[in-house]
Amino acid sequence: MNHLDKLRLWGKAIRVMASKHQAVQLPKEGQPDAGLTRDYSQNPLHRFKKPGSKNYQNIYPPSATLHLSNIPSSCTEEDIKEAFTSNNFEVKAFKFFPKDRKMALLQLSSVEEAVLALIKMHNHQLSESNHLRVSFSKSNI
């Protein structure tokens, strides 16, 4: 909540706060809900489910620099840049980690663009068995 409250997204500031409700009442099986309620608790894309995990320890506030991981060894810098530019993101800088080419940093022009890129590019398929993992970075390039 601290990282996302008042963040600009699609040209507007979003508001994030704790709900006064302690639980979400899911509709009964077969009951209409107009698609307004979904249970994401078992979704495999939830990276921050386990407190104390490596992912949980690497939660950083939104920044223009993204941390990319799960990059296959066959992917080049140009392949990754092309994946972002083909989705209308302007890559300002890129750098593989020196000791681990499965990870890289990618810098975009603004925090807002980086938030949109994280939304769009997380879980982007890079190879038959590799899907890109995207998070905000504490480092700059």
Side-chain angles (χ1 to χ4, degrees):
M1 286 190 316
N2 293 336
H3 295 327
L4 299 178
D5 189 38
K6 299 183 182 90
L7 181 75
R8 293 200 64 78
L9 186 61
W10 293 296
K12 297 179 181 177
I14 62 173
R15 295 285 299 155
V16 179
M17 63 188 78
S19 174
K20 64 181 178 181
H21 302 285
Q22 296 300 309
V24 174
Q25 182 65 44
L26 294 170
K28 291 187 172 109
E29 190 70 39
Q31 293 293 315
D33 73 341
L36 298 175
T37 311
R38 290 197 186 128
D39 182 358
Y40 289 98
S41 62
Q42 302 305 314
N43 189 308
L45 297 179
H46 190 330
R47 297 169 283 168
F48 308 114
K49 193 185 313 190
K50 298 178 191 142
S53 72
K54 192 166 87 171
N55 287 340
Y56 196 85
Q57 293 168 12
N58 290 304
I59 297 174
Y60 298 106
S63 70
T65 305
L66 297 174
H67 179 275
L68 310 178
S69 60
N70 201 35
I71 301 169
S73 56
S74 60
C75 263
T76 65
E77 177 177 337
E78 290 309 313
D79 293 334
I80 295 170
K81 285 181 177 179
E82 172 60 25
F84 279 82
T85 57
S86 67
N87 281 285
N88 300 316
F89 298 109
E90 183 183 346
V91 177
K92 294 289 186 184
F94 178 90
K95 182 174 83 171
F96 277 113
F97 278 48
K99 294 181 181 175
D100 187 357
R101 286 184 55 91
K102 292 179 182 177
M103 295 190 290
L105 296 178
L106 181 132
Q107 185 178 340
L108 299 170
S109 60
S110 68
V111 171
E112 185 172 358
E113 187 177 20
V115 172
L116 293 171
L118 184 144
I119 292 167
K120 177 84 173 174
M121 300 302 293
H122 179 69
N123 207 42
H124 177 82
Q125 189 165 3
L126 291 173
S127 73
E128 194 173 305
S129 59
N130 292 81
H131 289 77
L132 187 64
R133 299 287 175 243
V134 182
S135 56
F136 297 114
S137 175
K138 66 179 177 183
S139 308
N140 289 321
I141 298 178

